[in-house]
Amino acid sequence: MARERQGRDREARDERRETRPETRPRFRLDQPRVRRRKLLPDYDPEAFGRLSERIARFLGTGRFIVWMTVVIILWVVWNVSAPESLRFDNYPFIFLTLMLSLQASYAAPLILLAQNRQDDRDRVTHEQDRRQNERSIADTEYLTREIASLRMGLGEVATRDWLRSELQDLVKELEEQRRVFPPEAARARDVGDR
């Protein structure tokens, strides 16, 4: 059934090509594209990246060095002291050198991949930190302006100390006026004037 549909689609395309002057086929945007076959296998880059990070973390531990040392010692001891028929890598240990080179050739790119992923995470973290710092600076500047405006507003408002000093000045003025114009003299004058 699918082949029949493909055959009909091909015939319809051919008819459209004959009626149009263009030779290039047109693709429909309302239908999904047919996936092409790929030569390389598909893989999940995130899963591969996580695996490479785990391997790189293990390669950077003391446990790996201890196990590598134990394997090399066993390898050398076996190939030196075992009977001639059971030895698989004689004295120059060429196979051991090949295995160590193979391990190093895989370890280096895995470590670099893990470092690149860590750099990407660090870049994202630094970008988020930078944005947070910009927001904090903007908030601080806003609060600074608000505090300055409140101080300016409070400079025009009568404070308790200012009112106390003004009242004390008024009391002093009243006391001076009492000394200059005593209250008994004012009453006596008022009595005689009436």
Side-chain angles (χ1 to χ4, degrees):
M1 182 164 177
R3 289 185 180 182
E4 292 174 9
R5 188 177 331 131
Q6 287 177 352
R8 282 182 281 174
D9 290 341
R10 191 175 300 126
E11 290 173 6
R13 255 191 326 245
D14 291 341
E15 289 175 10
R16 279 186 255 137
R17 276 190 198 152
E18 291 173 5
T19 59
R20 290 186 307 187
E22 303 173 6
T23 58
R24 201 175 72 203
R26 289 182 59 175
F27 297 104
R28 292 192 57 167
L29 297 176
D30 61 342
Q31 295 179 353
R33 288 177 49 178
V34 178
R35 298 199 88 174
R36 294 183 183 176
R37 262 194 174 165
K38 294 182 180 179
L39 298 175
L40 299 175
D42 285 337
Y43 70 96
D44 182 15
E46 280 299 311
F48 186 73
R50 286 191 300 271
L51 176 67
S52 69
E53 286 178 339
R54 288 179 63 198
I55 292 171
R57 278 192 205 105
F58 177 68
L59 291 176
T61 62
R63 180 183 295 161
F64 171 75
I65 293 172
V66 168
W67 280 108
M68 185 75 124
T69 305
V70 167
V71 167
I72 291 172
I73 290 172
L74 288 175
W75 187 295
V76 170
V77 167
W78 178 265
N79 286 304
V80 168
S81 63
E84 192 71 37
S85 62
L86 295 177
R87 293 182 191 171
F88 56 89
D89 192 19
N90 289 326
Y91 167 63
F93 305 117
I94 295 172
F95 189 54
L96 175 63
T97 305
L98 176 67
M99 294 308 289
L100 292 175
S101 297
L102 182 66
Q103 181 268 331
S105 68
Y106 274 100
L110 289 175
I111 291 170
L112 288 174
L113 179 63
Q115 285 177 344
N116 289 341
R117 286 174 55 87
Q118 184 63 43
D119 288 343
D120 292 342
R121 280 195 298 273
D122 290 343
R123 191 176 308 114
V124 169
T125 303
H126 289 303
E127 182 66 25
Q128 290 173 347
D129 289 346
R130 187 185 62 77
R131 287 183 187 155
Q132 180 65 34
N133 288 341
E134 286 176 354
R135 284 193 296 264
S136 297
I137 289 170
D139 290 344
T140 304
E141 288 175 353
Y142 171 75
L143 291 174
T144 303
R145 286 192 300 274
E146 288 296 314
I147 290 172
S149 67
L150 286 174
R151 283 184 178 169
M152 288 172 54
L154 283 176
E156 297 171 3
V157 173
T159 61
R160 182 177 53 192
D161 293 335
W162 181 80
L163 284 175
R164 186 174 292 146
S165 68
E166 289 294 317
L167 287 174
Q168 287 173 353
D169 291 343
L170 285 174
V171 168
K172 286 180 186 176
E173 284 180 24
L174 287 174
E175 286 176 1
E176 286 177 11
Q177 285 181 359
R178 274 191 185 172
R179 278 188 224 137
V180 172
F181 304 109
E184 298 88 31
R187 261 192 248 142
R189 223 179 340 170
D190 282 345
V191 171
D193 290 340
R194 288 189 196 169

